Amino acid sequence: MTKSIGILTSGGDSPGLNAAIRGVGKSALNHYGMQLIGFRDGFRGLMENRFMRMEAGDLSDILTRGGTLLGTSRDKPHRMPVGGKVQDMTDVIVGNYHDNHLDVLVCLGGGGTQKNALRLKEKGLNIITLPKTIDNDVALTDITFGFDTALGIATDAIDRLHSTAHSHHRIIVVEIMGHRAGWLALGAGIAGGADVILIPEIPYTVESVAEAIRERSRRGKSFSIVAIAEGALSVHEHAEQLEAQKKKEGKKKEGKKTEPEVASETQYAEKTVRLAKQLELLTGLEARITILGHLQRGGIPSAADRLLATRLGTACSDLIDKGHYGVMVAARGDSTKAVALEEVAGKVKTVPPDHPWVQSARNIGTSLGD
Ligand code: F6P
């Protein structure tokens, strides 16, 4: 019997999504003789039964394209805004899966997608996920596709900021994506030679950042680049966050409803502006900010991301052929590993404070603000 695969992309877009769709699709169609149906705009498209039957021609000329040809959304099956209300649409999704006679649903996404995929698995669907996000914060995979491209873009930005910061003797605070994990800010900060790198995993004090900049001035370096991850927190903000988390857990234990807390881009930007102003006051240098934002997610994927997405995609089709479902296809060295969704869902891969990248940054004299 010909197997029928449903595929969707969910969460923030990421370079390499089209390469992954192509990897799954070409090997499923050409190598295994399976069928492929692409659902539009993530779980919303599956709920609304909006799809395209994908033939070989749909998979041509997409390898190098950024974004996702299927479209994406952050909609979750169990909390989907429909008709002005947030509703649990899981049963509709399960119904559409069966009505389309799918043998498996392949979900390309980040941390949130792994959780949603597990919920659908628990409803009896055959699911396989692939890990994508520029944040590189999906657990149990060496790396996610999208990260390498974003790392290149952010590094290039830091390179370019150097000459203007140097010319004007300024501090430039560059905000880099990553609300829960600092992989991108840390990686680009090291590769681009930022003088200070602030990440969510290592709370900072403004005084320590200012002192690192003043110390540079004393050594005749009258400019500094501060790379800050969106989710980086001062020691004070970190303590407040821990307190808020405790309250939330308390509420949960009492069976009370809690809302997911998602900081907005504006809130991140406000913090970055505040930091720049404080640094001006404490160092006497002029400061400017640059928010890299969605530039980091756009455009053509790097060679490394295309390669990663393709090999995860073909490994996914191999698993489908074997009927091995309920897993995420993780990257492990040059190979791949099927990891149970139960193991990965709900976990975040943050930067361990003693990670070799952190050690390297410290050893070359980069301040981490602590
Ligand atoms: O999860 C990936 C990511 O790019 C984060 O780094 C960033 O905080 C977030 O998405 C932005 O999301 P959106 O595009 O929905 O504003």
Side-chain angles (χ1 to χ4, degrees), residues 4-8 35-39 97 102-107:
S4 189
I5 307 171
I7 190 166
L8 58 80
Q35 290 174 350
L36 188 67
I37 301 177
F39 289 90
Y97 173 98
L102 299 182
D103 292 290
V104 59
L105 176 68
V106 177
C107 305

Side-chain angles (χ1 to χ4, degrees), residues 74 133-135 177-179 230 265 294 297:
R74 291 199 182 272
T133 165
I134 66 162
D135 295 355
M177 276 188 169
H179 51 290
E230 283 173 333
E265 271 173 50
H294 292 80
R297 295 211 317 234

Side-chain angles (χ1 to χ4, degrees), residues 22-34:
R22 175 179 174 273
V24 175
K26 283 206 169 192
S27 75
L29 267 60
N30 303 343
H31 189 67
Y32 289 114
M34 300 171 185

Side-chain angles (χ1 to χ4, degrees), residues 21 27 31 90 104-105 112 138 144 147 150 166 172 194 215 254 265 271 279 281 310 315 340 351:
I21 295 170
S27 75
H31 189 67
T90 310
V104 59
L105 176 68
V138 177
T144 56
F147 176 66
H166 180 259
I172 295 192
E215 170 57 18
E254 290 168 24
E265 271 173 50
K271 281 206 290 182
L279 292 177
L281 284 174
T310 304
V351 179

Side-chain angles (χ1 to χ4, degrees), residues 156-355:
D156 181 57
I158 296 176
D159 288 349
R160 287 169 191 278
L161 291 172
H162 261 96
S163 59
T164 173
H166 180 259
S167 305
H168 285 268
H169 317 293
R170 282 174 175 157
I171 300 166
I172 295 192
V173 182
V174 51
E175 185 190 288
I176 294 174
M177 276 188 169
H179 51 290
R180 297 180 302 181
W183 295 106
L184 194 53
L186 180 61
I190 294 172
D195 307 296
V196 180
I197 303 174
L198 305 176
I199 59 173
E201 295 85 347
I202 303 178
Y204 65 88
T205 68
V206 182
E207 181 44 40
S208 167
V209 177
E211 180 48 27
I213 294 170
R214 287 192 298 253
E215 170 57 18
R216 277 175 55 77
S217 298
R218 286 194 288 273
R219 285 188 285 114
K221 307 256 186 179
S222 60
F223 75 96
S224 285
I225 304 283
V226 179
I228 179 169
E230 283 173 333
L233 297 168
S234 68
V235 170
H236 176 66
E237 289 161 344
H238 180 68
E240 280 181 347
Q241 194 191 55
L242 287 180
E243 192 55 35
Q245 266 166 6
K246 252 196 229 163
K247 277 192 189 154
K248 200 173 161 184
E249 271 151 33
K251 269 188 174 179
K252 271 191 189 163
K253 270 189 198 150
E254 290 168 24
K256 290 185 186 154
K257 248 191 155 183
T258 57
E259 287 301 317
E261 281 153 40
V262 188
S264 68
E265 271 173 50
T266 327
Q267 283 168 309
Y268 294 134
E270 277 167 7
K271 281 206 290 182
T272 302
V273 171
R274 204 181 318 136
L275 174 64
K277 283 191 180 148
Q278 286 170 317
L279 292 177
E280 278 192 337
L281 284 174
L282 291 170
T283 64
L285 290 174
E286 219 179 16
R288 291 287 187 270
I289 63 159
T290 300
I291 295 173
L292 297 184
H294 292 80
L295 265 182
Q296 295 160 104
R297 295 211 317 234
I300 59 169
S302 66
D305 273 338
R306 292 180 214 174
L307 173 60
L308 175 64
T310 304
R311 63 192 189 86
L312 293 180
T314 57
C316 174
S317 296
D318 294 344
L319 291 171
I320 296 171
D321 177 57
K322 293 190 188 104
H324 188 159
Y325 304 127
V327 293
M328 176 184 82
V329 189
R332 290 292 165 87
D334 286 340
S335 190
T336 60
K337 187 173 186 313
V339 180
L341 287 174
E342 288 79 358
E343 281 182 52
V344 68
K347 294 197 183 121
V348 183
K349 187 180 78 178
T350 53
V351 179
D354 59 349
H355 190 272

